[in-house]
Amino acid sequence: MLFPESFQKVFVSLSTTNSESRATPPVKIFALRHSPQLPIVAAHQASRKVLLLLHGFPQNHTLYYETVQELSRAGILEHWDVVIPDLPGYGRSTKIPSVDCSHYENSKRAVAADCVALIDTMYSPGQQFIVVGHDRGARVAYRMAKDFRDRILGLSLMEIIPTRTMFEKMRSTNNHQLTLNTYHWIFLAQPPTLPETLIGASSDYYFSHTIESWTGPRCRGHLDPIAVASWVEQYRNPAVLTGSLEDYRAGASIDLQHDEEDEKSGNAVVDCPLLILHTVNFKTQHGDVADIWNSLGSKGVTVKQVGDDQVGHFLPIEAAADAIPELISWMNEIV
C-alpha cells in the first residue's frame, strides 16, 4: 500500500467556464484526500489547514508516496488535510482538449482553475490552502498563485524555472546542450498526431525509458514498482497520452502568452511566501536558481538545494528525507 489508509479515493465532476465565460466540457478529477480527526471546535471547514500536492510529467498522484510518509513521520497528518489529485488529463482524471486547437483547456490557467474548483467542492468556496508542485504540477501551482491570490497561503515549487526562462535557456545555454537534454519539451509539443503515433507504438518502452533516465543513480531501479507501474500503464490509455501532450503543447503556446501578459501587467510576482526546492543536478543544468526566482515573490523567497549529486529529477521521492523537513518548517512559519 503506497498511502496510509486515512487517504480516501475521491472522484469529483466539475462544470467550469473559461476566461470568456463560456461553458467548457465537464472535468472529472480523481484525488486522494486525507482529513484528520479534529476536535469539534477546530473541525469547521474555514479553520482547516489544507495542503494540495500537484504532480508532474510523466507521473500521477502516486509521485507523492514518499512525501506522505515523511509528512506522517513528522505528525503533519494529525493536523492537516492533504489533497493529491491526478492533474486533469493524467491518470484517472479526464480532460477534453480544446476543439479550437488553442490548447486552452490544458493550459496552466485552466488546470489551475480546475484544481481550485476541486478544493471548493471538497471544502467550501474561499477555502485557503498551501500548494506544492513538482515539474508540470509546479507550473500549474505558479499560475494558481498568480490567478487566485486570495486563496494561496504559500507556494512551493520543486525542480522548475519559469517556462519562458526555460525556452530562453534552450536557445542560448552551452551550445544547446539544455535543448538536447530536455528534447521532450519540443517533441511532446509537436502537433497531433505525430507524437501520439510515435509514442503510442510503444508507450511502455518510451515511459519506462523516460522514468529510468530521469532517476538519479541511487534510486535507479529502486523506485516503488507499484508507483512506476501506475505511471507507465496510464499511457496505454490514448486519452491520457493526449492529455500529457496537450500539457506540453499549451506550455509552448498559450502558457507563454499568459506569462507574457503577466510580465507586461506586473502580475508575474506572487504575493504569498515562496519556497523553491531543487537538486544539485538541477542547479548544474540551469545555473543560479535563487537568482531566477528571488525577484518573483513579494512576501519572501526561500531557495533550498536538497539531496546530493546522486539525486535525479524526482525530488519528492528521491530527496524526500531532505526536502520534506524543509517544506514542513516553511509551512509552520506560514500557518
Side-chain angles (χ1 to χ4, degrees):
M1 181 179 294
L2 288 176
F3 295 91
E5 292 183 356
S6 63
F7 280 79
Q8 303 297 313
K9 297 177 181 179
V10 179
F11 282 95
V12 174
S13 292
L14 305 173
S15 295
T16 60
T17 56
N18 64 21
S19 59
E20 288 80 32
S21 298
R22 293 180 300 187
T24 60
V27 178
K28 188 174 183 180
I29 300 183
F30 169 83
L32 292 184
R33 177 186 180 182
H34 160 83
S35 292
Q37 296 296 320
L38 299 176
I40 294 177
V41 174
H44 188 272
Q45 300 286 38
S47 65
R48 302 194 80 94
K49 295 188 285 188
V50 178
L51 174 64
L52 177 66
L53 302 177
L54 302 180
H55 69 85
F57 176 90
Q59 278 82 30
N60 52 39
H61 71 278
T62 60
L63 170 71
Y64 286 106
Y65 70 86
E66 283 289 350
T67 294
V68 166
Q69 292 299 324
E70 293 295 329
L71 293 173
S72 179
R73 292 186 188 104
I76 293 298
L77 300 186
E78 298 174 13
H79 307 285
W80 283 75
D81 283 51
V82 181
V83 179
I84 317 176
D86 287 343
L87 288 176
Y90 287 84
R92 284 179 273 182
S93 295
T94 62
K95 183 78 168 178
I96 299 175
S98 301
V99 296
D100 61 359
C101 299
S102 68
H103 312 299
Y104 179 87
E105 292 304 322
N106 297 84
S107 69
K108 306 307 168 289
R109 170 160 286 160
V111 174
D114 292 337
C115 293
V116 172
L118 172 69
I119 295 295
D120 286 344
T121 302
M122 287 184 166
Y123 299 96
S124 59
Q127 173 70 53
Q128 294 181 308
F129 55 95
I130 287 177
V131 60
V132 176
H134 174 259
D135 189 83
R136 309 303 287 186
R139 300 184 189 285
V140 173
Y142 180 36
R143 169 52 59 190
M144 189 183 298
K146 292 188 286 183
D147 287 357
F148 297 90
R149 293 175 181 269
D150 60 329
R151 304 294 299 279
I152 310 304
L153 296 173
L155 170 67
S156 178
L157 308 177
M158 301 181 184
E159 289 286 277
I160 72 160
I161 55 177
T163 301
R164 184 174 179 178
T165 305
M166 183 72 173
F167 277 112
E168 289 172 350
K169 282 181 171 289
M170 284 185 192
R171 292 198 300 267
S172 62
T173 303
N174 193 20
N175 295 320
H176 297 286
Q177 285 303 303
L178 179 62
T179 308
L180 293 174
N181 291 336
T182 56
Y183 79 96
H184 63 286
W185 277 64
I186 308 302
F187 172 54
L188 300 180
Q190 293 301 303
T193 55
L194 177 65
E196 281 93 341
T197 302
L198 295 178
I199 296 173
S202 186
S203 67
D204 280 16
Y205 169 78
Y206 181 81
F207 288 104
S208 295
H209 168 78
T210 298
I211 292 162
E212 182 177 7
S213 63
W214 291 3
T215 304
R218 181 179 297 112
C219 290
R220 195 168 295 150
H222 299 288
L223 300 179
D224 190 285
I226 296 175
V228 174
S230 77
W231 306 335
V232 173
E233 291 170 3
Q234 67 181 333
Y235 292 103
R236 296 174 187 172
N237 179 350
V240 174
L241 178 57
T242 294
S244 67
L245 297 175
E246 283 294 304
D247 179 356
Y248 277 89
R249 288 166 183 149
S253 57
I254 194 166
D255 288 343
L256 291 173
Q257 295 174 27
H258 292 158
D259 289 344
E260 184 176 354
E261 292 167 3
D262 288 341
E263 292 178 11
K264 290 180 178 178
S265 65
N267 196 50
V269 177
V270 300
D271 51 13
C272 64
L274 176 58
L275 172 65
I276 306 297
L277 298 174
H278 68 86
T279 62
V280 174
N281 291 323
F282 189 83
K283 183 175 182 179
T284 299
Q285 191 171 59
H286 297 286
D288 191 337
V289 181
D291 185 58
I292 293 171
W293 283 107
N294 274 338
S295 63
L296 295 175
S298 66
K299 294 288 182 67
V301 180
T302 304
V303 180
K304 296 284 187 177
Q305 178 176 291
V306 295
D308 56 26
D309 62 2
Q310 297 297 297
V311 173
H313 178 58
F314 305 125
L315 184 156
I317 298 174
E318 299 183 66
D322 291 333
I324 304 313
E326 296 286 357
L327 175 64
I328 292 170
S329 176
W330 172 79
M331 288 168 53
N332 286 337
E333 292 178 1
I334 296 172
V335 180

